[in-house]
């Protein structure tokens, strides 16, 4: 069985992080529009609130993965992979897809 070099593993992790963050960003953009309050007195939907809070963060991480130097990208990847955060986000996105389209999974 062939072992990945450290550089290959970092690139795989970068691709995973980019893919998951990009999907999360698309979900947040959808939530920002779909669950926006229609009147001032409306109770804020938790998905709209999450979109407002997390969208700038997700876009910033994606910007670094796209345009950052290797040091910056590796810091983002290690931050996202620490404690399994990116895997948890990936699982959450799968769950959201299932709730939106139960027959797709």
């Amino acid at each position: 069985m062939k072992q990945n070099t450290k550089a290959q593993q970092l690139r795989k992790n970068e691709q995973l992080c980019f893919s998951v963050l990009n999907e999360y960003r698309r979900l947040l953009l959808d939530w920002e529009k779909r669950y926006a309050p229609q009147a001032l007195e409306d109770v804020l939907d938790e998905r709209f609130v999450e979109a407002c809070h997390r969208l700038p963060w997700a876009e910033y991480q994606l910007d670094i993965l796209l345009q950052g130097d290797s040091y910056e990208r590796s810091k983002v990847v290690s931050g996202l992979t620490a404690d399994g955060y990116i895997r948890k986000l990936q699982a959450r996105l799968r769950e959201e897809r299932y709730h939106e389209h139960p027959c797709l999974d």
Side-chain angles (χ1 to χ4, degrees):
M1 186 167 161
K2 185 181 166 193
Q3 289 287 344
N4 287 335
T5 66
K6 193 171 182 166
Q8 289 170 324
Q9 189 58 51
L10 177 62
R11 188 69 191 136
K12 265 180 78 171
N13 287 344
E14 268 186 47
Q15 290 169 341
L16 172 69
C17 289
F18 182 84
S19 172
V20 172
L21 282 173
N22 198 39
E23 184 178 348
Y24 186 49
R25 179 185 164 275
R26 285 194 306 266
L27 178 68
L28 294 174
L29 287 168
D30 177 55
W31 285 357
E32 187 179 49
K33 289 181 183 82
R34 188 187 311 188
Y35 300 108
Q38 302 303 306
L40 286 176
E41 62 277 356
D42 286 355
V43 174
L44 295 179
D45 187 285
E46 65 187 34
R47 291 161 290 196
F48 175 77
V49 173
E50 181 176 347
C52 291
H53 285 262
R54 299 300 284 172
L55 190 55
W57 171 84
E59 289 177 336
Y60 179 70
Q61 303 302 308
L62 285 165
D63 284 347
I64 293 172
L65 291 174
L66 282 171
Q67 300 175 1
D69 62 32
S70 59
Y71 175 77
E72 293 168 324
R73 292 191 319 270
S74 71
K75 292 305 268 180
V76 165
V77 169
S78 38
L80 291 169
T81 55
D83 301 328
Y85 178 78
I86 201 72
R87 296 287 182 190
K88 290 174 192 165
L89 184 56
Q90 190 177 36
R92 179 163 179 234
L93 290 167
R94 268 195 305 272
E95 190 177 303
E96 289 295 331
R97 277 196 311 270
Y98 177 77
H99 289 302
E100 289 287 317
H101 307 286
C103 358
L104 292 181
D105 282 345

